[in-house]
């Protein structure tokens, strides 16, 4: 099949969620608005995640995987997924499935006009502390980037692959994907999507990761913005 859309699924110690991930993504691929394949990126899991991923891929032709030698973090996993994508469009979703694969179709409706479409989690089903820390972190990041996005941490995005592959990712920069598309003079939009409580597994981000860490990343983004090289070829011979 000629796939047009790749869904990247970063995985780190998610053995309790992976069978549900398989079921929901398989169901979504049957009603996806574009021919869709799935790419697991195992970020050095220490549980049975790799064993389960290999079993899932062996019984589903549109599922594939890459596996890191050691844990390198979410940004590295997302970048690896982008690097190994061969379709014109790429998206990603977290393996905790707190967002719904079916909502990719909502984002795909807008990708023709835009270069990145990101979800905004409506009626978030997280704790008060998690919600407030995310709101504060998003407010700080928005003040630095002026990207107008309310929820860059939403793990449901669709990007034109040519833009995704040009993002100079570094640790923590997954929170700045919309801003990095703007640096390429791309167009971005946010669309409300569903949100659900985590059913299994452990959250990978605490207060430091969600609030204090992103503050230091803002300064890294400002440095990159000043140094970013962007050009357009007008003619060649």
């Amino acid at each position: 099949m000629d796939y047009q859309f790749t869904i990247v699924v970063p995985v780190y110690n998610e053995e309790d969620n992976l069978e549900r991930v398989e079921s929901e993504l398989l169901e979504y691929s049957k009603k996806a608005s574009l021919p869709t394949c799935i790419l697991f990126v195992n970020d050095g899991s220490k549980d049975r995640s790799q064993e389960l991923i290999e079993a899932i891929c062996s019984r589903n032709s549109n599922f594939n995987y890459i596996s890191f030698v050691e844990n390198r973090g979410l940004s590295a996993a997302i970048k690896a997924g982008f690097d190994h994508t061969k379709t014109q469009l790429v998206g990603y979703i977290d393996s905790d499935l707190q967002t719904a694969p079916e909502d990719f179709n909502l984002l795909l409706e807008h990708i023709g006009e835009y270069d990145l479409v990101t979800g905004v989690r409506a009626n978030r089903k997280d704790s008060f502390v998690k919600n407030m820390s995310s709101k504060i972190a998003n407010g700080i990041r928005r003040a630095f980037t002026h990207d107008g996005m309310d929820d860059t941490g939403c793990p449901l995005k669709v990007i034109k692959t040519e833009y995704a592959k040009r993002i100079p990712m570094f640790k923590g920069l997954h929170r700045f994907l919309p801003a990095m598309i703007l640096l390429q003079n791309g167009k971005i939009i946010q669309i409300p999507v569903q949100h659900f409580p985590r059913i299994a597994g452990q959250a990978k981000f605490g207060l430091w990761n969600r609030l204090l860490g992103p503050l230091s990343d803002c300064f890294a983004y400002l440095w990159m913005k000043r140094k970013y090289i962007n050009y357009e070829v007008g003619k060649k011979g």
Side-chain angles (χ1 to χ4, degrees), residues 32-97:
S33 54
L34 293 173
T36 299
C37 60
I38 291 87
L39 177 62
F40 288 112
V41 182
N42 183 9
D43 183 20
S45 296
K46 296 177 173 60
D47 61 359
R48 295 178 56 246
S49 290
Q50 181 60 28
E51 176 186 339
L52 293 171
I53 287 171
E54 291 185 22
I56 290 169
C57 293
S58 69
R59 59 181 174 254
N60 297 290
S61 60
N62 63 325
F63 284 66
N64 294 283
Y65 73 88
I66 57 176
S67 182
F68 288 177
V69 173
E70 58 186 1
N71 176 246
R72 304 304 295 172
L74 179 58
S75 290
I78 292 171
K79 174 173 171 51
F82 291 170
D83 288 345
H84 287 78
T85 291
K86 299 177 182 178
T87 55
Q88 293 183 337
L89 297 174
V90 61
Y92 83 87
I93 187 170
D94 278 356
S95 48
D96 59 19
L97 288 184

Side-chain angles (χ1 to χ4, degrees), residues 5 14 82 132 134 145 164 195 215 221 236:
F5 179 42
E14 292 285 1
F82 291 170
M132 287 305 299
S134 292
T145 64
H195 189 245
L215 177 60
Y221 167 78
K236 64 181 180 179

Side-chain angles (χ1 to χ4, degrees), residues 38-216:
I38 291 87
L39 177 62
F40 288 112
V41 182
N42 183 9
D43 183 20
S45 296
K46 296 177 173 60
D47 61 359
R48 295 178 56 246
S49 290
Q50 181 60 28
E51 176 186 339
L52 293 171
I53 287 171
E54 291 185 22
I56 290 169
C57 293
S58 69
R59 59 181 174 254
N60 297 290
S61 60
N62 63 325
F63 284 66
N64 294 283
Y65 73 88
I66 57 176
S67 182
F68 288 177
V69 173
E70 58 186 1
N71 176 246
R72 304 304 295 172
L74 179 58
S75 290
I78 292 171
K79 174 173 171 51
F82 291 170
D83 288 345
H84 287 78
T85 291
K86 299 177 182 178
T87 55
Q88 293 183 337
L89 297 174
V90 61
Y92 83 87
I93 187 170
D94 278 356
S95 48
D96 59 19
L97 288 184
Q98 287 191 257
T99 49
E102 65 192 57
D103 284 347
F104 273 121
N105 283 350
L106 297 176
L107 306 189
L108 287 168
E109 289 179 10
H110 302 271
I111 198 62
E113 181 181 355
Y114 294 90
D115 304 301
L116 175 146
V117 186
T118 182
V120 179
R121 290 168 286 190
N123 301 314
R124 286 186 63 173
K125 303 299 191 295
D126 289 322
S127 67
F128 174 80
V129 171
K130 186 174 181 179
N131 282 335
M132 287 305 299
S133 61
S134 292
K135 285 183 178 180
I136 294 170
N138 273 302
I140 294 171
R141 177 203 44 72
R142 195 163 51 245
F144 276 79
T145 64
H146 304 289
D147 62 8
M149 299 290 103
D150 298 314
D151 186 17
T152 59
C154 179
L156 199 75
K157 291 178 172 62
V158 175
I159 313 173
K160 289 177 179 173
T161 303
E162 61 180 306
Y163 283 83
K165 287 182 179 291
R166 291 198 297 261
I167 295 173
M169 297 281 283
F170 60 83
K171 189 174 183 180
L173 202 64
H174 60 274
R175 303 180 184 93
F176 295 82
L177 291 177
M180 297 307 297
I181 300 301
L182 290 179
L183 284 185
Q184 300 179 46
N185 297 321
K187 296 176 65 178
I188 62 177
I189 190 174
Q190 55 185 4
I191 303 296
V193 297
Q194 303 172 84
H195 189 245
F196 307 94
R198 176 183 268 272
I199 294 177
Q202 297 293 321
K204 307 303 186 295
F205 294 96
L207 183 61
W208 166 260
N209 305 91
R210 195 176 298 113
L211 183 56
L212 300 180
L215 177 60
S216 63

